[in-house]
Amino acid sequence: MSEIDVMIEDINLWQTQMFALNYPDHEAIKSDLLKAIYANQEQQTMAVESEVAIDAKHGLYESKLDFLTQPIPAVRNLREFVEEMLGTVATAVNQEFWPPGSIGKAQVTESWYHITQNGGYHDAHSHPNCSWCGIYYVDAGDCEIVTRNGSNRFYDPRFCADQYLDAGTAYINSNGFWDFQPTEGQMVIFPSYLKHSALPYFGQQDRVIVAFNSIITLD
């Protein structure tokens, strides 16, 4: 048989974009931020003060959904940085779909901390009523990627992608989830529809994060 020279075009559709970055002022605000978080924890009357999906959370403390509104310099600085980064991400992803010259402006609508203790975890979930979300690792504790200790796991959003399994679907079935290594001072930003979980955490030191949801408008 003769060889047939065929050009096959590679078309990638509906990819999910996530972003990771380091907060340059982490060391400067970490101590004050932890003080604010633990001061709030001491005032909590229940472990999950947000009262959201209580049964999906175990061995952790969660604040009300307004943590980044506190008039504390370290908290205010973190919020300003978060909103700047969210606006940058949203602009980069959406600019070709916006009117020319438009810039995205982010507003954090909900924010909370998690203090996860030995054996704690958070089941799979997504975040409604917002467009971009994020997690900031204030103190990663004893998190470790090799054993998946305390990692955040993100799940394939393609609904029914695994409804049929054969050799031709190996590229889907081998990538059903992706684990992110919690690293102190790092922030991960992701679209709100993306399901994720916090895998069981085992350690003597608390795993402390600040999470947030946002909406985007055009400036």
Side-chain angles (χ1 to χ4, degrees), residues 15-27:
Q15 65 179 180
T16 294
Q17 292 180 274
M18 295 177 58
F19 302 86
L21 60 142
N22 292 309
Y23 182 28
D25 292 334
H26 173 72
E27 289 300 329

Side-chain angles (χ1 to χ4, degrees), residues 64-202:
K64 295 179 181 178
L65 301 179
D66 60 356
F67 177 70
L68 289 179
T69 65
Q70 297 187 67
I72 299 170
V75 176
R76 184 175 62 248
N77 291 345
L78 176 59
R79 181 188 180 109
E80 290 174 356
F81 179 78
V82 163
E83 291 185 332
E84 181 181 355
M85 293 301 99
L86 287 165
T88 299
V89 163
T91 299
V93 172
N94 291 285
Q95 200 160 44
E96 65 178 292
F97 306 102
W98 290 346
S102 296
I103 297 175
K105 181 178 181 181
Q107 178 187 348
V108 170
T109 54
E110 295 175 318
S111 55
W112 61 98
Y113 60 73
H114 278 173
I115 302 172
T116 306
Q117 300 179 323
N118 189 44
Y121 61 86
H122 190 334
D123 285 338
H125 62 288
S126 59
H127 294 188
N129 302 319
C130 59
S131 92
W132 288 91
C133 313
I135 302 169
Y136 170 53
Y137 300 98
V138 185
D139 194 327
D142 299 311
C143 289
E144 196 266 318
I145 192 64
V146 174
T147 61
R148 306 296 194 263
N149 184 27
S151 296
N152 279 109
R153 174 165 289 182
F154 294 87
Y155 299 90
D156 188 341
R158 293 170 293 184
F159 181 67
C160 287
D162 60 353
Q163 63 184 342
Y164 176 75
L165 308 179
D166 69 9
T169 65
Y171 75 101
I172 299 175
N173 306 323
S174 64
N175 293 287
F177 62 83
W178 180 70
D179 292 335
F180 187 81
Q181 166 68 50
T183 302
E184 181 179 312
Q186 195 168 47
M187 187 178 298
V188 58
I189 295 174
F190 52 93
S192 63
Y193 66 80
L194 194 60
K195 280 196 172 183
H196 56 286
S197 64
L199 298 181
Y201 170 70
F202 299 98

